[in-house]
């Protein structure tokens, strides 16, 4: 990502005095924007907050400008935005946002002196040390929470985000785009689903199933396999029907989803050598009953000789909420000052 001298000057000042800036967490559905006070070595303090529907705004700059006009005195001119995707030069590469994002055009249109974009789950990973233990729910094991590093942070929402958090060091977070890596089936049903998806896309990545839009790819495949017509048109409808037990295929869709998610988490724990897992994202909070069902845990542990090892790697569900904002502010405070 390009360096930003104006932002760096504010970072230098925040070593001694708190810096106040705009911090945002932008996904494919919502943009959460806050006015935040940060101090190097301390926890961010949220001074003001608002959530915007991305589809109701023509671009990212209009959201930032609206927040500045409505929620500040107009004197704040620096912002850090945690956003789904990867910055390629000046352009954000992302398949789930309703509009394109240019770093420099966004900065100019929002009348900001300094703007930095970081990956949304990189921000979530930065927030992990600031978690409140009372907000964590165990999905595997019942042991009391304590931090174990490295920690895998991931979650399905509009897309599928992931990052790896280390205890410290010069680079405490490793961002990832695992949502765009290939989807791996592990049983006959999943292979049958994958064959159907491959008729639509030459590359079927994890997001094609393990995300909100992925649920609406998975559900019609199961309907076709079972010889039924789809009844539900949105993830919200599908999840509500499954939670209410109204539709056997909706229930099966969530069961398959959670089993596949558990399998992917197990693969990533093995690949990265993670010692703990934090499951965030917009979907897990709405499907907790399915995440607590045997399919999720069994698939997580089903890793051959390493299954026993995974039993010592706990998975915690954490409400996403303002986690991305806290993490983006923590990232800002953690940046080394430059002369």
């Amino acid at each position: 990502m390009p360096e930003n001298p104006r932002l760096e000057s504010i970072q230098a000042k925040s070593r001694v005095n708190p810096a106040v800036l705009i911090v945002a967490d932008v996904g494919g559905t919502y943009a959460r924007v806050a006015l935040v006070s940060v101090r190097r070595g301390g926890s961010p303090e949220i001074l003001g907050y608002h959530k915007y529907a991305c589809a109701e705004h023509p671009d990212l700059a209009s959201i930032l400008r609206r927040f500045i006009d409505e929620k500040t005195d107009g004197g704040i001119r620096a912002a850090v935005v945690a956003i789904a995707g990867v910055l390629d030069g000046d352009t954000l590469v992302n398949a789930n946002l309703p509009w394109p994002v240019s770093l420099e055009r966004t900065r100019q249109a929002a009348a900001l002196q300094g703007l930095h974009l970081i990956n949304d789950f990189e921000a979530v990973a930065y927030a992990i040390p600031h978690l409140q233990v009372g907000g964590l729910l165990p999905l595997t094991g019942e042991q009391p929470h304590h931090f174990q590093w490295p920690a895998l942070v991931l979650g399905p929402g509009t897309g599928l985000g992931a990052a790896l958090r280390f205890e410290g060091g010069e680079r405490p977070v490793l961002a990832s785009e695992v949502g765009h890596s290939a989807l791996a089936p592990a049983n006959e049903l999943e292979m049958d689903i994958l064959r159907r998806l491959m008729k639509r896309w030459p590359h079927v990545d994890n997001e094609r199933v393990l995300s909100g839009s992925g649920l609406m790819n998975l559900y019609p495949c199961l309907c076709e396999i079972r010889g039924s017509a789809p009844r539900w048109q949105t993830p919200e409808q599908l999840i509500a029907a499954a939670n209410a037990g109204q539709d056997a295929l909706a229930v099966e869709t969530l069961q398959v989803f959670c089993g596949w998610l558990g399998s992917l988490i197990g693969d990533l724990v093995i690949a990265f050598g993670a010692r703990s897992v934090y499951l965030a994202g917009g979907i897990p909070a709405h499907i907790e009953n399915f995440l607590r069902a045997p399919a999720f845990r069994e698939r997580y542990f089903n890793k051959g000789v390493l299954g026993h090892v995974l039993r010592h790697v706990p998975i915690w569900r954490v409400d996403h909420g303002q986690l991305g904002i806290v993490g983006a502010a923590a990232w800002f405070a953690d940046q080394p000052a430059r002369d």
Side-chain angles (χ1 to χ4, degrees), residues 268-284:
L268 295 178
V269 167
I270 292 170
F272 290 126
R275 303 310 305 158
S276 59
V277 179
Y278 295 89
L279 185 62
I283 291 179

Side-chain angles (χ1 to χ4, degrees), residues 162-182:
L164 195 66
R165 169 78 205 206
F166 300 93
E167 184 171 8
E170 293 184 3
R171 189 178 181 183
V173 173
L174 176 65
S176 168
E177 286 296 327
V178 74
H180 297 288
S181 62

Side-chain angles (χ1 to χ4, degrees), residues 251-333:
V251 171
E252 185 179 13
T253 300
L254 268 294
Q255 291 171 338
V256 172
F257 179 93
C258 289
W260 222 326
L261 179 63
S263 183
L264 173 63
I265 293 173
D267 287 342
L268 295 178
V269 167
I270 292 170
F272 290 126
R275 303 310 305 158
S276 59
V277 179
Y278 295 89
L279 185 62
I283 291 179
H286 301 290
I287 61 170
E288 187 166 334
N289 288 340
F290 290 92
L291 290 171
R292 292 188 175 280
F296 176 76
R297 293 191 304 272
E298 289 173 0
R299 289 291 297 281
Y300 174 59
F301 295 137
N302 185 25
K303 298 300 173 185
V305 295
L306 291 181
H308 176 73
V309 175
L310 292 183
R311 293 183 181 277
H312 302 288
V313 181
I315 301 176
W316 303 87
R317 188 182 73 74
V318 53
D319 285 328
H320 195 289
Q322 298 178 353
L323 206 57
I325 287 174
V326 171
W331 172 89
F332 177 88

Side-chain angles (χ1 to χ4, degrees), residues 118-130 149-154 162-176 272 327-328 330-332 334-335:
I118 68 172
N119 177 267
D120 58 340
F121 262 79
E122 181 180 3
V124 173
Y126 264 98
I128 293 302
H130 301 280
W149 313 106
L152 173 66
V153 184
L154 82 162
L164 195 66
R165 169 78 205 206
F166 300 93
E167 184 171 8
E170 293 184 3
R171 189 178 181 183
V173 173
L174 176 65
S176 168
F272 290 126
W331 172 89
F332 177 88
D334 197 48
Q335 299 309 295

Side-chain angles (χ1 to χ4, degrees), residues 15-60:
R15 284 179 172 273
V16 179
N17 300 310
V20 178
L21 69 155
I22 304 297
V23 179
D25 176 20
V26 180
T29 306
Y30 293 108
R32 297 169 174 86
V33 190
L35 185 67
V36 181
S37 173
V38 299
R39 184 194 298 270
R40 189 170 179 83
S43 293
E45 180 184 359
I46 296 177
L47 307 175
Y49 173 84
H50 196 79
K51 185 169 75 171
Y52 303 92
C54 291
E56 295 177 1
H57 297 81
D59 51 35
L60 174 59

Side-chain angles (χ1 to χ4, degrees), residues 37-274:
S37 173
V38 299
R39 184 194 298 270
R40 189 170 179 83
S43 293
E45 180 184 359
I46 296 177
L47 307 175
Y49 173 84
H50 196 79
K51 185 169 75 171
Y52 303 92
C54 291
E56 295 177 1
H57 297 81
D59 51 35
L60 174 59
S62 68
I63 294 175
L64 296 175
R65 192 169 57 245
R66 180 176 174 183
F67 182 85
I68 292 170
D69 292 343
E70 294 179 352
K71 304 297 182 180
T72 78
D73 60 5
I76 307 301
R77 287 292 176 260
V80 178
V81 177
I83 190 165
V86 174
L87 199 61
D88 183 14
D90 180 70
T91 303
L92 186 78
V93 179
N94 182 280
N96 297 311
L97 293 172
W99 14 251
V101 176
S102 158
L103 177 63
E104 183 57 21
R105 286 198 294 271
T106 300
R107 184 191 69 77
Q108 292 179 2
L112 291 166
Q113 293 179 348
L115 173 65
H116 208 110
L117 305 182
I118 68 172
N119 177 267
D120 58 340
F121 262 79
E122 181 180 3
V124 173
Y126 264 98
I128 293 302
H130 301 280
L131 289 175
Q132 300 296 317
V133 174
L136 296 172
L137 298 172
L139 295 178
T140 64
E142 298 295 333
Q143 62 271 45
H145 177 268
H146 64 279
F147 290 113
Q148 300 179 75
W149 313 106
L152 173 66
V153 184
L154 82 162
T158 304
L160 177 66
L164 195 66
R165 169 78 205 206
F166 300 93
E167 184 171 8
E170 293 184 3
R171 189 178 181 183
V173 173
L174 176 65
S176 168
E177 286 296 327
V178 74
H180 297 288
S181 62
L183 183 69
N187 56 44
E188 289 293 334
L189 177 59
E190 290 174 358
M191 287 189 282
D192 205 2
I193 292 167
L194 180 59
R195 279 190 287 268
R196 284 168 165 78
L197 296 176
M198 290 182 69
K199 293 178 181 179
R200 297 177 61 186
W201 299 286
H203 171 66
V204 179
D205 59 29
N206 287 305
E207 283 192 359
R208 294 297 188 191
V209 167
L210 300 176
S211 65
S213 60
L215 277 171
M216 302 317 296
N217 296 327
L218 175 60
Y219 172 59
C221 286
L222 284 170
C223 288
E224 182 181 340
I225 291 169
R226 305 306 184 205
S228 297
R231 296 176 59 190
W232 316 110
Q233 305 303 316
T234 68
E236 292 80 8
Q237 292 173 349
L238 179 69
I239 291 171
N243 282 330
Q246 294 177 347
D247 184 317
L249 272 173
V251 171
E252 185 179 13
T253 300
L254 268 294
Q255 291 171 338
V256 172
F257 179 93
C258 289
W260 222 326
L261 179 63
S263 183
L264 173 63
I265 293 173
D267 287 342
L268 295 178
V269 167
I270 292 170
F272 290 126

